[in-house]
Amino acid sequence: MSPVGNSRAMEWIRHIMEKLVVLLAFLPCVSMKTVWSPQQDGDPSLRFAVIGDWGGLPLPPYTTEQELLVADELANTASKWGADFILSVGDNFYYDGVKNVTDIRFKATFENVFDGESLRHVPWYVLAGNHDHNGNITAQVAYTNVSSRWIYPDLYYDLSFKIPSTNVTVRLLMLDTVVLCGNSDDFVGGQPLGAANVKLAEKQLNWLVEKLQTSKDEYLLVAGHYPVWSIAEHGPTSCLVQHVEPLLKKYRVTAYLCGHDHNMQYLQDNSGIGYVLSGAGNFMENSRKHEEKVPEGYLRFFQGEKETMGSFAYMKITPKEMKITYVKSGGKSLFQTTLYPRDL
């Protein structure tokens, strides 16, 4: 080929490459097939989603439309923003938990639903709700040895994380509020009926006090199924208001994370503690039945409209702040707020 021919060929190749660069710039989501790294944006952080009350139904196909939509959006969010783990705050299997470790519900309601590519290797840290306690709760704990991503070592347990590339730590204390306060009947409403075993309840409460006392973590989170504060169908949990809320204040907890009421709420008390209620994984209830039982000024956000079709809370914790975003199925942000490290 003549020098002129070579020059024209190189010019044509450059022209094609320039077009490809422009095209790819407008199609990043289509072209990217790898899972988004949580640290890719150069901002060291710990990122996770909080999802509650996602437990499908006890009859085939063992799911609800809302659960499927939430699972899709959870996968999308993990792909776009990153996820170090998922926090499940209970009622994992409606209405009576599971029978044994081989129960079909583990596959049909969990494994086969939350199966997006970005979720396949993300650990789920699990705690139990009242419906889980209606079944074989020991089987849910034992499933930890079956599934590579289901992590539920005991009814209550302690998790500790370090924000990558920093010395900033996040402590997450996982409670079993059914053991603490007793079971409840969602179809009747009302408060938990009181601890079935008072000694076990006292043992867990003493464990919580010890963990709170010794925490030197910049961020200190407590999670349980029942809410401390809620304006909705179940309302504030009097047992937790009496026994746990004073401890959250005394030890300057950053936030309390929960489910139980089937909607999304964010409340914040006068000491700055955030109360993150994320119970819209499977059903939506637009109830404000107990609004008058929550101190004035605590409620900052509420969403219970059925058209929302599910939601979850997404957390991004950096050395400087903890950003909380409520995300609905379809990807829209419903509400966002910020909490800050503890003053140690």
Side-chain angles (χ1 to χ4, degrees), residues 20-313:
L20 284 172
V21 168
V22 173
L23 177 62
L24 289 173
F26 282 96
L27 297 173
C29 295
V30 175
S31 61
M32 294 295 289
K33 293 195 182 286
T34 55
V35 176
W36 194 89
S37 167
Q39 307 310 323
Q40 195 175 35
D41 61 4
D43 185 7
S45 62
L46 183 74
R47 307 184 187 200
F48 63 97
V50 181
I51 178 172
D53 305 80
W54 50 268
L57 291 171
L59 298 173
Y62 305 109
T63 62
T64 64
E65 180 185 3
Q66 182 164 315
E67 184 196 4
L68 296 174
L69 290 171
V70 169
D72 285 346
E73 184 52 46
L74 190 62
N76 290 337
T77 298
S79 178
K80 289 185 294 184
W81 296 352
D84 294 292
F85 62 90
I86 309 298
L87 174 59
S88 173
V89 290
D91 279 359
N92 311 314
F93 302 100
Y94 285 105
Y95 290 102
D96 296 308
V98 296
K99 297 181 177 66
N100 50 53
V101 76
T102 61
D103 196 310
I104 190 175
R105 299 297 303 283
F106 285 114
K107 293 292 184 184
T109 302
F110 172 61
E111 301 282 7
N112 296 343
V113 175
F114 299 94
D115 62 347
E117 183 179 355
S118 61
L119 297 177
R120 289 174 190 168
H121 302 290
V122 176
W124 285 58
Y125 294 109
V126 180
L127 56 78
N130 51 301
H131 285 281
D132 300 308
H133 274 278
N134 288 341
N136 184 346
I137 196 63
T138 303
Q140 289 200 39
V141 173
Y143 193 68
T144 300
N145 300 319
V146 177
S147 173
S148 62
R149 55 181 179 151
W150 181 274
I151 302 176
Y152 188 15
D154 211 334
L155 294 183
Y156 56 93
Y157 55 102
D158 179 8
L159 295 167
S160 184
F161 305 93
K162 182 177 285 189
I163 297 176
S165 304
T166 76
N167 291 319
V168 176
T169 58
V170 179
R171 180 64 57 88
L172 176 54
L173 303 178
M174 303 283 278
L175 300 182
D176 191 309
T177 54
V178 179
V179 171
L180 274 177
C181 300
N183 213 323
S184 63
D185 188 336
D186 277 356
F187 298 106
V188 176
Q191 292 291 307
L193 303 176
N197 187 317
V198 174
K199 288 186 177 180
L200 288 181
E202 290 177 348
K203 181 180 179 181
Q204 183 179 180
L205 199 59
N206 291 335
W207 172 87
L208 176 62
V209 170
E210 180 184 357
K211 293 294 181 180
L212 293 173
Q213 284 177 335
T214 57
S215 171
K216 303 299 181 183
D217 306 275
E218 284 82 359
Y219 295 93
L220 180 55
L221 311 176
V222 178
H225 179 63
Y226 294 147
V228 175
W229 299 112
S230 169
I231 71 164
E233 182 67 22
H234 298 102
T237 306
S238 56
C239 162
L240 297 180
V241 172
Q242 180 179 355
H243 297 294
V244 173
E245 194 247 10
L247 298 175
L248 303 181
K249 286 186 174 180
K250 180 177 180 179
Y251 297 106
R252 295 175 291 111
V253 166
T254 311
Y256 179 83
L257 319 173
C258 69
H260 197 43
D261 270 320
H262 298 158
N263 39 58
M264 307 297 290
Q265 300 177 49
Y266 179 76
L267 307 99
Q268 190 167 316
D269 70 13
N270 295 332
S271 63
I273 298 171
Y275 292 89
V276 178
L277 195 156
S278 176
N282 203 61
F283 310 110
M284 290 293 285
E285 295 174 356
N286 198 14
S287 167
R288 302 175 74 105
K289 182 178 178 180
H290 291 95
E291 192 161 10
E292 76 286 352
K293 293 187 178 179
V294 172
E296 186 176 354
Y298 276 26
L299 182 67
R300 309 294 176 86
F301 164 73
F302 174 85
Q303 176 58 263
E305 295 178 0
K306 294 185 184 298
E307 293 77 11
T308 303
M309 287 304 289
S311 182
F312 53 87

Side-chain angles (χ1 to χ4, degrees), residues 1-10:
M1 183 180 291
S2 69
V4 174
N6 281 332
S7 176
R8 287 176 177 174
M10 291 302 296

